[in-house]
Amino acid sequence: MTPEIYLDGNATSPVMPAAIAAAVRAMEDCYGNPSSSHTTGLQARALLDGARQRALRLLGVEQGSLMFNSGATEGIQTAVLSALCALRERRDAGQAIGSLLVYGATEHKAVPEALAHWNRLLGLNLALSKLPVDSDGRHDLPALRAVLPQTAMLCTMAANNETGVLSDIAGIEGLLEETGCGAYWMVDCVQALGKFRLRLARSRIDYAPFSGHKLYAPKGIGMLYVRQGAPFTPLIVGGGQESAQRSGTENMAGVAALDAVLAALEQGGVFRPHDVLCTFRERLAASLRRALPGVVFNAPFEHALPTTLNFSVPGLSSKELMDVFDAAGVRVSAGSACSAAKAAPSYVLQAMGVPDWRAASAIRMSFGPLADEACITRACERIERCGAALRASGLIAQGGSLPAQDGVLQLGSGGACSWLVHDAASRSCVVIDPQPEFSERILAHVRGLGYRAAAVLGTAPGAGLATLSRALTLAPGADAFGWRAGRADADAAGNGEQLALGGQLLRRVLIDGQAVYLLGHAVNGALPASAARHAFIGALAPQRLAGLVGADTLLCAASDAQQPFCSSLQAQAPADGLPPADLHLDPAALQDLLRRHPDAMLVDVRESHEHLVGEPLALSGGQVVSVPLGQLAGQIPAWMAAPVPLVFFCRSGNRSTRAAQCLRRLGYAQAYDLAGGMALGMVPTAALPLAA
Ligand code: PLP
């Protein structure tokens, strides 16, 4: 397996060895309950007190309290609950408290959710007000000044988790002082810890939540600072631990681990200094610029943590970028919430007013202050390898430089799809049912191949056909379906209903006002039903094709939401809608299958750039093939003609399951998928009889 380069530190970090050792020591040697009065308990108490003292020193807290808890989401709840309970009491006592709960537009979701939740539960019914940010992602201070007189609570963050943008905390504090605003103020310090010096006692901040797992401690340990005199209501009550501020027996392994991280911070020399982190960012940015032409950084470096890069690349979705980075062993995250097919734009980038395409296709690359030269060098190499793979697969346009392609290609799956038929010998292709969302991609693809577009066809009349035809420099004169009557390659009867594409024929049949295109190899200059390998059927119900196509002709629809990729007249729907029980192979079953069937083929259904960029060793061998899902329908007839067991695999098992299900539906009994994908199910090379 490709060794991992972890560049998703803002999501969570690995646990540093000193923290692991401290947690193990706490569990093995210091396992007492700090509330017990015997010696074992006293030892645990000393560990707990020592950790708290260190945290207080590091955060510059001279007075005020600091409690250990489960993490920042809990700290945020406690802070909001405390402030809102106090506000309710003050309002009940007849005091003016303001009417607004103000939070930065780029806050972590935990903040507005907690505000809305406790506001509702406590019956406060104050108005939630989103404070805008400017194009650099920093709070709009004039807008803040305007709302401060009505503000009851203010929530801002020290550094943003998606962009790394640093807030102007001093500027906000200045405004609070200048306006004499008595609002309670929470500053989410999660991404700031360990990245710059915090001096909480010198500030007017009332609450500051922290999280261990963002800085090399394990998940499940965090801290909340509460300023002396700030109101407090416990979120969890019970045995009175943490001075009754947070009941429940303390997570001592977590405390010990966090203490080890804080000790490293306090001693110095372990974490890289700011200027070194800035040079790391510069090197990564330079590699990104070389690898991904047109890359745009979504936050200004001068106002951001040096450990976070947020960027978008024209023409590439965050899913495509995530997939290629992941295949190269580089773990990054989509700067926006990504579902299988579509990415929801990042609300953080939207709040900054970045164009929609950038907000929907952003990638966040983040590392921690333990990063070293060697790791950054490896990351830069991999980034450049990703760029090369994207160029080779045509996702980064390079006119006329794509390797020749033959056969059928599907663009889009799980919804609307477009189809391309290529002929390498004549260097020509036909586009069928071009969906508007794929127009750019189709253009780039055809230009990248340097092929002549012979036709742009619709199974239904469509305005988009003419536009794409023009863009592909096709001569005018086609009918509403994009079909040209009287063309030179009309069939023997001269009815213009077939189009020759190298050795293949594309025949048009009109049914119920819709066009169906049959594709296959010519038999005596014509295309009989039995010779049609593919039929592009648009939205036509398959039953309407009875007699027109063979039982196993692959039916390629304009949407594959119901039947992924393709179907056929003889295709079986699984009886109960569930995949057959033996579809998924675990590593042991895979090995067994490979022993029994040395001719089995392992089919990598990831995109070709993912296949190219990955470590070839894990599944190397003559029988590993790359067939991205878009090429599945094109490849199936060849598999059907000479069936061998096929084991589909991808990163997670998601794409490969759909491929195996499609083959099973089409009656291909020996189609399987590797359960859990490469992430979970891949067996070491040495264990595979197939391996070279
Ligand atoms: N606040 C910020 C800025 C964060 O990045 C996160 C984690 O993603 C949280 C709060 C929530 O932290 P935790 O995972 O400790 O609950």
Side-chain angles (χ1 to χ4, degrees):
M1 277 277 213
T2 311
E4 163 176 298
I5 297 178
Y6 188 77
L7 292 179
D8 200 14
N10 288 11
T12 196
S13 59
V15 182
M16 62 190 265
I20 296 174
V24 170
R25 263 199 314 280
M27 289 186 283
E28 281 181 352
D29 306 333
C30 196
Y31 51 82
N33 185 331
S35 299
S36 302
S37 51
H38 50 61
T39 304
T40 312
L42 293 175
Q43 286 163 349
R45 163 67 50 194
L47 170 61
L48 182 64
D49 290 346
R52 196 185 324 276
Q53 287 313 314
R54 195 192 309 278
L56 290 168
R57 277 197 307 277
L58 252 167
L59 300 175
V61 179
E62 287 137 28
Q63 284 142 351
S65 64
L66 192 125
M67 75 203 66
F68 291 108
N69 59 15
S70 68
T73 301
E74 183 188 328
I76 290 166
Q77 307 303 309
T78 310
V80 169
L81 174 69
S82 298
L84 268 53
C85 281
L87 287 168
R88 190 170 66 169
E89 272 173 33
R90 282 173 44 201
R91 189 172 68 182
D92 290 351
Q95 294 176 20
I97 59 165
S99 58
L100 300 178
L101 301 174
V102 178
Y103 64 95
T106 59
E107 290 294 306
H108 187 276
K109 280 283 175 225
V111 172
E113 290 294 324
L115 285 171
H117 178 74
W118 294 109
N119 185 38
R120 191 174 54 247
L121 234 64
L122 294 172
L124 258 173
N125 301 321
L126 298 177
L128 264 68
S129 167
K130 206 187 274 187
L131 176 64
V133 294
D134 62 19
S135 58
D136 285 350
R138 310 188 98 199
H139 300 101
D140 179 340
L141 295 189
L144 178 61
R145 185 199 299 270
V147 292
L148 278 183
Q150 301 94 49
T151 301
M153 181 174 194
L154 172 65
C155 300
T156 54
M157 64 198 329
N160 184 269
N161 45 308
E162 279 191 27
T163 58
V165 167
L166 296 166
S167 301
D168 179 3
I169 294 293
I172 296 172
E173 184 155 20
L175 279 184
L176 284 164
E177 273 164 21
E178 187 188 314
T179 55
C181 174
Y184 300 121
W185 185 23
M186 180 182 80
V187 178
D188 175 343
C189 290
V190 169
Q191 299 292 346
L193 184 65
K195 316 227 176 99
F196 57 87
R197 193 129 181 82
L198 294 155
R199 296 210 174 273
L200 293 173
R202 293 201 191 154
S203 80
R204 186 204 168 287
I205 297 169
D206 293 300
Y207 309 97
F210 297 90
S211 180
H213 74 100
K214 308 289 184 176
L215 192 73
Y216 303 112
K219 289 148 201 69
I221 183 71
M223 304 182 284
L224 176 67
Y225 158 77
V226 181
R227 189 175 58 79
Q228 192 177 40
F232 187 81
T233 297
L235 179 68
I236 303 176
V237 293
Q241 289 89 348
E242 294 291 280
S243 308
Q245 291 184 315
R246 202 271 186 182
S247 287
T249 302
E250 293 84 348
N251 167 8
M252 291 305 295
V255 169
L258 180 57
D259 184 45
V261 174
L262 299 180
L265 262 180
E266 193 172 36
Q267 281 152 23
V270 177
F271 296 113
R272 311 276 166 246
H274 182 81
D275 55 339
V276 173
L277 297 175
C278 287
T279 63
F280 289 172
R281 173 175 61 187
E282 274 314 321
R283 291 185 56 200
L284 289 170
S287 285
L288 288 167
R289 288 190 190 101
R290 272 194 295 276
L292 306 168
V295 63
V296 191
F297 294 97
N298 292 319
F301 287 177
E302 63 274 25
H303 293 313
L305 292 172
T307 46
T308 306
L309 295 98
N310 187 306
F311 58 89
S312 308
V313 182
L316 291 177
S317 68
S318 31
K319 176 157 171 33
E320 284 160 342
L321 283 164
M322 283 268 300
D323 286 348
V324 71
F325 280 127
D326 204 43
V330 181
R331 310 291 180 241
V332 297
S333 96
S336 42
C338 228
S339 69
K342 292 208 165 62
S346 151
Y347 69 91
V348 170
L349 297 181
Q350 280 182 323
M352 293 165 66
V354 310
D356 286 350
W357 74 265
R358 273 164 58 191
S361 63
I363 290 288
R364 175 185 70 188
M365 208 170 241
S366 53
F367 53 96
L370 273 184
D372 60 17
E373 285 283 350
C375 145
I376 298 296
T377 301
R378 280 204 313 277
C380 291
E381 283 163 10
R382 301 268 182 98
I383 289 168
E384 295 188 32
R385 212 200 284 171
C386 288
L390 288 165
R391 267 188 291 279
S393 73
L395 274 193
I396 291 180
Q398 269 196 330
S401 66
L402 280 182
Q405 268 196 38
D406 230 355
V408 171
L409 177 71
Q410 177 183 5
L411 293 180
S413 179
C417 24
S418 301
W419 298 88
L420 277 105
V421 182
H422 305 87
D423 180 65
S426 61
R427 298 185 64 75
S428 57
C429 63
V430 170
V431 182
I432 301 173
D433 284 336
Q435 310 289 345
E437 62 265 43
F438 301 127
S439 295
E440 285 300 317
R441 182 116 331 157
I442 293 171
L443 276 174
H445 177 83
V446 177
R447 286 175 185 155
L449 286 170
Y451 279 15
R452 174 184 68 91
V456 175
L457 305 173
T459 50
L465 299 175
T467 317
L468 188 62
S469 294
R470 271 195 303 280
L472 288 168
T473 62
L474 274 151
D479 68 13
F481 295 93
W483 192 266
R484 246 156 274 259
R487 44 191 317 137
D489 42 12
D491 71 0
N495 61 16
E497 292 295 287
Q498 43 185 57
L499 157 63
L501 202 63
Q504 301 185 82
L505 274 187
L506 192 70
R507 180 176 144 211
R508 175 170 85 159
V509 181
L510 293 171
I511 305 174
D512 300 342
Q514 248 222 40
V516 168
Y517 302 97
L518 309 180
L519 178 74
H521 287 284
V523 179
N524 299 328
L527 189 65
S530 58
R533 284 178 159 199
H534 294 89
F536 302 93
I537 64 170
L540 207 67
Q543 307 82 280
R544 298 287 294 112
L545 296 160
L548 187 68
V549 299
D552 58 0
T553 302
L554 295 181
L555 309 180
C556 305
S559 163
D560 74 345
Q562 301 304 324
Q563 303 248 286
F565 314 119
C566 54
S567 74
S568 70
L569 288 181
Q570 70 171 9
Q572 304 287 319
D576 52 5
L578 293 172
D582 69 341
L583 191 80
H584 308 295
L585 297 183
D586 62 19
L590 170 64
Q591 254 179 300
D592 185 49
L593 180 112
L594 294 175
R595 237 188 325 271
R596 286 182 291 111
H597 297 281
D599 58 340
M601 235 191 276
L602 289 148
V603 186
D604 184 351
V605 292
R606 296 173 304 159
E607 293 304 315
S608 57
H609 44 269
E610 293 172 76
H611 180 79
L612 281 173
V613 87
E615 193 65 55
L617 294 174
L619 268 182
S620 64
Q623 288 144 67
V624 177
V625 292
S626 163
V627 181
L629 291 181
Q631 292 170 22
L632 200 65
Q635 180 62 42
I636 287 172
W639 283 333
M640 292 281 197
V644 293
L646 297 174
V647 183
F648 295 97
F649 70 92
C650 62
R651 181 181 58 214
S652 68
N654 189 354
R655 289 175 277 183
S656 57
T657 301
R658 294 197 300 137
Q661 281 171 336
C662 170
L663 268 286
R664 287 285 182 102
R665 248 193 355 261
L666 294 169
Y668 198 105
Q670 297 214 71
Y672 307 92
D673 97 280
L674 182 63
M678 299 175 78
L680 304 182
M682 205 48 80
V683 288
T685 311
L688 282 174
L690 276 185

